[in-house]
Amino acid sequence: MARSRPEPVQVVKQRRDAALNAIVEGVPYIRFLDIGFDRRGDELTGVLNFDQKLIGNPLLPALHGGVTAAFLEVTAVITLSWEFLLPKIESGELDASDIADYEKVRFPKTVDFTVDYLRSGLPRDAYARAFISRAGRRYASVRVEAWQDNHARLFAQASGHFLMPQPATDGK
Amino acid sequence: MVDKAAIARQFIEAIPHARALGLKLTSIGNGEAGITMPYSKELVGDPRTGVIHGGAVFAALDTCCGAAVMSHPSAPGGTATIDLRIDYMRAATPGQTITTQATCYHITRNVAFVRATAMDEDEGLPVATAAGSFTVEGL
């Protein structure tokens, strides 16, 4: 049997980018911190765009530890949501317009989050990538790394546990 | 004598990110600090429920823990977070101010140990608790 023709690249890109944008742009706090996401295949990189309001120590100056933590947590939640939602988007079960629908799409909830501050965050852009150590039906365990000028010199790392969204019919 | 509480208050309220979050220092002294964060639509994590993002609660708790360290009688001045863990007990109720309270319960020459909680108007169950270690530095 002949294999079906692959979809044109722009169709695939448009569908995935629209879904990712719908997830990210819907969250006011992500806009407040001005975090964006770079997508390369299934890999996401969080980008924290520097702004003066992110400073926590004006004397050094350095990024606020809470900003670093929030950036890592946002990257973890978006990466986890993306991993969870992408198959549904690819199968046609969901599209970008469904993301805002609370009944159809729910996001993982943070149970706990631990941040190691390895060096102070410089007053410039930062990048982060999350690695899903385990994604079970109920719980997920995620590790996140953040760096600035040099990927080999992380300025923070974190790990956390998340409660995965349960089907709406659960327990009824 | 130098009024450490006044210095700490000035220092914290001058932090650009603390201003962006609307943080207010409500109490400080002897290794304890209280900070409030008013509800703001900008800090919402899920627009469908209006609940504040956990990251904003983390930032408020981190600031409060730092303030507690600075106010400890044995602390020479500055501090930075070494590590901080937050446990999220429940979603904060939309529209309510978040109140954080931190205690620096032990300090050595090099490390300060801190615990903190975040509450909304329902004081029966915390929104989140935190535990961490901080550096001890001169001003």
Side-chain angles (χ1 to χ4, degrees), chain B:
Chain B
M1 194 195 139
V2 191
D3 185 354
K4 275 177 88 173
I7 293 173
R9 182 188 306 271
Q10 219 173 19
F11 183 79
I12 283 145
E13 293 185 356
I15 296 171
H17 193 63
R19 296 169 72 109
L21 293 173
L23 301 187
K24 285 275 173 293
L25 191 73
T26 52
S27 65
I28 189 156
N30 283 323
E32 302 212 0
I35 282 182
T36 59
M37 179 171 71
Y39 182 81
S40 161
K41 289 205 165 97
E42 282 186 312
L43 307 181
V44 165
D46 191 337
R48 304 166 301 180
T49 58
V51 172
I52 293 280
H53 196 282
V57 178
F58 199 119
L61 282 164
D62 181 47
T63 310
C64 192
C65 288
V69 174
M70 288 173 66
S71 81
H72 196 282
S74 313
T79 186
T81 319
I82 297 172
D83 107 306
L84 191 63
R85 171 193 168 112
I86 309 265
D87 291 279
Y88 296 100
M89 261 104 269
R90 64 177 173 94
T93 308
Q96 296 186 359
T97 292
I98 291 180
T99 304
T100 60
Q101 186 71 38
T103 306
C104 173
Y105 60 91
H106 185 64
I107 189 164
T108 72
R109 263 172 300 174
N110 299 303
V111 188
F113 299 89
V114 191
R115 276 190 288 260
T117 55
M119 302 278 193
D120 58 16
E121 287 166 23
D122 172 11
E123 293 181 359
L125 177 69
V127 167
T129 61
S133 52
F134 286 69
T135 65
V136 175
E137 291 165 24
L139 262 182

Side-chain angles (χ1 to χ4, degrees), chain A residues 17-33 35-37 74 77-78 81 85 96-102 105 107, chain B residues 39-53:
Chain A
D17 289 341
L20 182 59
N21 282 341
I23 295 171
V24 173
E25 284 167 10
V27 183
Y29 187 63
I30 297 182
R31 288 199 304 267
F32 173 74
L33 292 179
I35 296 171
F37 284 86
V74 163
V77 172
I78 296 295
S81 305
L85 293 174
S97 65
D98 292 324
I99 304 288
D101 184 344
Y102 187 70
V105 178
F107 293 105
Chain B
Y39 182 81
S40 161
K41 289 205 165 97
E42 282 186 312
L43 307 181
V44 165
D46 191 337
R48 304 166 301 180
T49 58
V51 172
I52 293 280
H53 196 282

Side-chain angles (χ1 to χ4, degrees), chain A residues 81-148:
Chain A
S81 305
W82 184 242
E83 188 93 351
F84 179 74
L85 293 174
L86 186 60
K88 296 173 193 251
I89 291 156
E90 293 298 290
S91 71
E93 191 187 324
L94 288 176
D95 68 39
S97 65
D98 292 324
I99 304 288
D101 184 344
Y102 187 70
E103 294 306 316
K104 286 188 185 161
V105 178
R106 287 179 199 199
F107 293 105
K109 287 182 190 162
T110 313
V111 179
D112 63 70
F113 202 68
T114 307
V115 182
D116 282 338
Y117 295 90
L118 305 173
R119 37 178 74 82
S120 69
L122 302 170
R124 59 188 76 148
D125 292 359
Y127 313 99
R129 200 168 283 170
F131 305 89
I132 300 169
S133 310
R134 178 180 181 268
R137 270 195 304 166
R138 288 169 73 198
Y139 309 108
S141 189
V142 183
R143 188 168 58 79
V144 202
E145 297 176 347
W147 69 96
Q148 292 185 300

Side-chain angles (χ1 to χ4, degrees), chain A residues 5-27:
Chain A
R5 275 184 73 78
E7 289 176 293
V9 62
Q10 60 272 33
V11 172
V12 178
K13 269 195 176 176
Q14 199 280 332
R15 178 177 62 233
R16 293 178 186 172
D17 289 341
L20 182 59
N21 282 341
I23 295 171
V24 173
E25 284 167 10
V27 183

